[in-house]
Every structure is written in structure tokens, then in C-alpha cells.
Amino acid sequence: MHQLPFHISLLRSATLPDGTVRDVEINGNRVGRVVAAGQGRRSGSGAEIDLSGFMLLPAPAEPHAHFDKALSAEAIRPPLGNLRDAIEAWRRHASTMTVDDIRGRALEAALTLLANGTTSVRCHVDVLLGDKPLRGVEALVAVRQELEGLMDLELVALAGSEVPDADIEAALDLGVDLVGGSPHLSADPFADLRRLITLAERRGVGVDLHTDESLDGELTIVEFARLVREWPAGRMRTAGHCVRLGTLEPEGLHGVIDEILASDLGIVTLPITNLYLQGWDHPASTPRGLTAVRTLLDRGARLGAGADNVRDPFNPVGRSDAFETAGLLVVAAHLTPAEAYQAVSVGARSVMGMPAAGPVEGADAELVAIRGTSIGDVVANASPDRYVIHAGRLVAHSEISRRIATPASLRQLSAPMEPRYSA
């Protein structure tokens, strides 16, 4: 195998999502012909990979990461708790962080996602309080530069209500792409919502807001949808978490989704973190804490799913693997495996405003090949045997070896040994 990364021109004998086995030609950063197995042709100097026994899928996209927080749990040792407890633990630790500390953890988290198949990420990064509020931003901008050509990384300035507008604008000046925040945590949620959207309008950028991340309280998403309704079609408008929608009765929920659809608001569900943070005050009949995933899908809303926090005060576990997220959507949101994988790949790319990808002629060559026989198989087993392709180049390859004792070998071990005699 060549040293990574290297260009691919032919993927041979891959099982596609519909179960057919095909050869897939790659032309630069796009998928070329998809033809019967054995009929594909290499072009130029690109390599060929035999994918017999592998499924070839659109690469996952991560629509909601927090690389600046990732992998900090061991240093912080936070208590188990809800969202408010996690915020307090994080803020105490944040004052001690350096740019190099944030950059090191962020790069490790990003490369783990890449190894598992994710080639495009939208990452929220805190605009910090106190002195040097842009330490996280500086670290993530540096990580984005390091990953250029391996992963697409988009940045969102995550600003609490205490963060001044000037610091958010300074983050945008450093290269952050979108305005973010958590208006529902503010003392005046609607005032903070309007502030962030007005700032985004002034700068001509989109927004990705943590929205209604609680089981009760004010519902801000309707006002959010109305405030961005007249925005140009290409300007990003995304609502993450939206836990409160999962608590609404059907008649009220459908009215809210009408507003979401009218504004083409993208919704991101984040099962692992919401399952962890929500419901601590409900020891009996504990709610699942997710948004209204099934109803949103059935109504045609743009829905993506992500891993969110990984091993930090907001979530002590997580593998940085979209197949883990997909599995949780099957269990906690009652999606089919195909729907769940759609949410972490095609749906996530739609929410992020990215073009179509996958083993389809003319699509972007953002692909993951994973050992398995069907969507149900790969979502259930999440084999670590994977090939990851970004912009037509192989950027990661993982494989394992396994040795397992068999019942026959155990019987052989326990059989009495024949006596041995020497002359």
C-alpha cells in the first residue's frame, strides 16, 4: 500500500447501499462511472482497491462537534450531572487552558473522526470569558490549516450571552465561518437570539445555534425560524439539539414544524450527549431527551445527526464514530438502520450546505468503505476495517486481526494427554 494520502481511480467489487456489487471509478474528486463488477477501468496513475466484502457508502459528515472541549474529561474530572453542572465544570477549567493544549486535543479528536470515516466537520468553538477570549478560536484555526486536504473543517463561534459582540466579530475576523450561541441559556433568551442573528446579518454570515436544549422552558425555535425566514437561500441557518421539540404533543409540534419548514431551518439531533445530559431530574419514566426525530423526518425537515461532545464534562464517553451515532438513533429514536445512516451522512451534509456525496455518478468522492454485507450489518457491528476517501484520495485505512479459540480447540486442550515413554 502506498503512503497516505494517495489518489484512487478504481474501487472494485464494492457492495453499494442497495445491495448490488459494482465497480466505482473515481475521476479526480468526483465519482465517475458506476458499472457492473469487473467492468471498471483505472485511469491515470490512481490506485485500485479491491472492496470485496466491504460496503461503500457516502462518507459521514459531523454537523456538530466541540473539538476545543474534546478529551478533557481526565483533566477536569467533572462530577456526573446535567447541562448546568457540565457548563460550570467546563468554565472552571477553561481559564487554565492554553492554545497549545486546545490544539493538541482538537487535532487528536479530528484525526479520530477521520480514521472512522468522517471527512467533513462543523465544529463549535467557545469564545471564552476573561482575558484572551480567542484562545480556542486560534487553536481551531490552526487545526483547520493542518488538516487542509484531509478533512473539510467549518468553524462556529459559540458565544454565551456574556460574550461581547466585539469578541464574536474578532472570531469572525480570524476565520470563523458562522455565528453560534445558546440563547435558551440566557436570562432573556429572545433578546440574545435577536442579538446573535442581527450580528450575523451585519456580517453577512449564517448561524448555527444551540436551540432549546432542555425538557421544559421557553421555546425559542419558532422565533428563530421567523427571524431568518427572509434570508438568502444559501445563507446557513441551523438549530442544534432542539430537545424541547421531543416533549411537545402532536398538535403543538406540527405547528412548530410548519415554521421550521417555512424557513428551511436545518435541524441537528445529537443523541449521545442529549441522552446523557437530559433527564437527571426524572428518576422515574426518564425521558429520552432527543428532539422529535421521527416527526421531523416524516414531515420532510432537513435533519442531520452528530456525535457532539466526546469525553468531556458534557459527555464522559463516545468513540468519535458516526456508526455509534447511527446505532443510537436506531435504539433511542426508533429509526431504521438505513434512516439512521442517512442522518449521519446525506442528512448531515444537507444541514451543512454541502453537495451530494457517495457512490453515485457525478457526486463528490467523499466515501467510506466498511467491512459488512448490509446497512443493518454495518450499523450494528461498526467494523473497524475501513477505507476513508476524501476528495478522491485515500486518507485513512484501518484493519484488525482477530484470533478466537474454538470449541474444538478447547476440547483438544482438555483431553487427557497420552503417556509418553522413552527407550
Side-chain angles (χ1 to χ4, degrees):
M1 178 91 46
H2 309 290
Q3 180 177 349
L4 300 181
F6 60 83
H7 286 282
I8 303 295
S9 67
L10 179 61
L11 301 170
R12 192 174 293 285
S13 299
T15 301
L16 301 190
D18 64 3
T20 59
V21 178
R22 295 284 187 266
D23 287 353
V24 177
E25 297 175 357
I26 307 295
N27 298 329
N29 62 358
R30 295 289 184 90
V31 174
R33 296 191 311 151
V34 178
V35 297
Q39 301 301 307
R41 297 192 300 268
R42 285 182 58 183
S43 61
S45 60
E48 173 183 331
I49 299 176
D50 184 353
L51 292 181
S52 299
F54 283 77
M55 290 209 73
L56 185 63
L57 304 169
E62 174 54 68
H64 190 117
H66 288 273
F67 288 161
D68 55 336
K69 297 180 174 74
L71 311 179
S72 63
E74 301 258 337
I76 298 175
R77 298 186 180 277
L80 297 179
N82 59 23
L83 179 59
R84 294 284 182 180
D85 296 333
I87 291 171
E88 290 176 11
W90 170 249
R91 285 188 172 178
R92 286 193 298 270
H93 179 74
S95 62
T96 71
M97 297 185 308
T98 66
V99 172
D100 285 344
D101 165 52
I102 299 168
R103 178 197 154 276
R105 289 185 291 98
L107 184 59
E108 181 180 353
L111 290 174
T112 302
L113 265 178
L114 183 67
N116 285 327
T118 296
T119 61
S120 301
V121 178
R122 179 181 291 173
C123 179
H124 296 254
V125 53
D126 280 24
V127 181
L128 299 166
L129 300 175
D131 295 337
K132 300 180 180 178
L134 301 182
R135 283 169 288 148
V137 172
E138 292 170 8
L140 266 295
V141 168
V143 168
R144 180 169 61 187
Q145 292 170 345
E146 290 183 78
L147 293 174
E148 188 173 359
L150 301 177
M151 170 185 281
D152 294 323
L153 181 57
E154 185 179 39
L155 300 178
V156 184
L158 179 55
S161 59
E162 308 98 321
V163 172
D165 288 6
D167 287 349
I168 303 172
E169 299 212 50
L172 294 171
D173 291 339
L174 283 177
V176 168
D177 303 287
L178 303 171
V179 171
S182 305
H184 59 284
L185 296 176
S186 171
D188 189 339
F190 293 98
D192 196 45
L193 174 66
R194 288 189 289 270
R195 173 183 81 114
L196 295 170
I197 289 176
T198 299
L199 191 155
E201 289 175 336
R202 184 166 69 245
R203 293 297 298 255
V205 300
V207 295
D208 186 332
L209 302 177
H210 291 56
T211 303
D212 301 335
E213 191 182 354
S214 63
L215 296 167
D216 51 24
E218 294 276 13
L219 187 70
T220 66
I221 194 168
V222 171
E223 182 68 7
F224 181 3
R226 291 172 178 171
L227 287 171
V228 300
R229 186 154 301 161
E230 302 306 320
W231 277 14
R235 186 177 296 175
M236 198 59 53
R237 65 210 71 183
T238 308
H241 295 286
C242 305
V243 172
R244 187 77 167 81
L245 297 188
T247 71
L248 300 180
E249 295 297 329
E251 58 274 14
L253 176 61
H254 283 290
V256 174
I257 294 178
D258 287 341
E259 301 282 356
I260 291 170
L261 294 174
S263 299
D264 194 26
L265 196 64
I267 307 296
V268 177
T269 184
L270 302 156
I272 194 167
T273 299
N274 288 145
L275 287 167
Y276 172 70
L277 289 176
Q278 301 299 322
W280 287 82
D281 297 329
H282 298 263
S285 300
T286 306
R288 295 179 182 223
L290 301 188
T291 192
V293 174
R294 167 55 62 198
T295 308
L296 285 162
L297 276 182
D298 290 347
R299 290 288 309 277
R302 291 189 299 118
L303 178 80
D308 201 7
N309 300 84
V310 177
R311 292 171 55 195
D312 65 22
F314 300 81
N315 171 29
V317 293
R319 301 196 306 267
S320 296
D321 187 354
F323 289 92
E324 178 183 39
T325 301
L328 287 169
L329 288 174
V330 174
V331 173
H334 294 167
L335 299 190
T336 67
E339 289 171 329
Y341 191 75
Q342 184 94 350
V344 300
S345 56
V346 175
R349 289 181 69 86
S350 173
V351 166
M352 296 165 68
M354 306 189 75
V360 177
E361 293 184 3
D364 282 6
E366 304 290 325
L367 302 161
V368 62
I370 177 169
R371 188 178 297 280
T373 58
S374 67
I375 289 290
D377 179 29
V378 297
V379 169
N381 288 313
S383 169
D385 289 346
R386 304 181 195 187
Y387 295 89
V388 184
I389 296 170
H390 171 58
R393 297 190 298 174
L394 187 71
V395 294
H397 174 218
S398 304
E399 58 185 341
I400 64 166
S401 61
R402 177 179 292 170
R403 299 176 65 190
I404 305 174
T406 65
S409 65
L410 184 62
R411 286 194 297 271
Q412 183 179 7
L413 180 67
S414 59
M417 294 182 63
E418 295 183 4
R420 294 178 181 272
Y421 298 94
S422 56

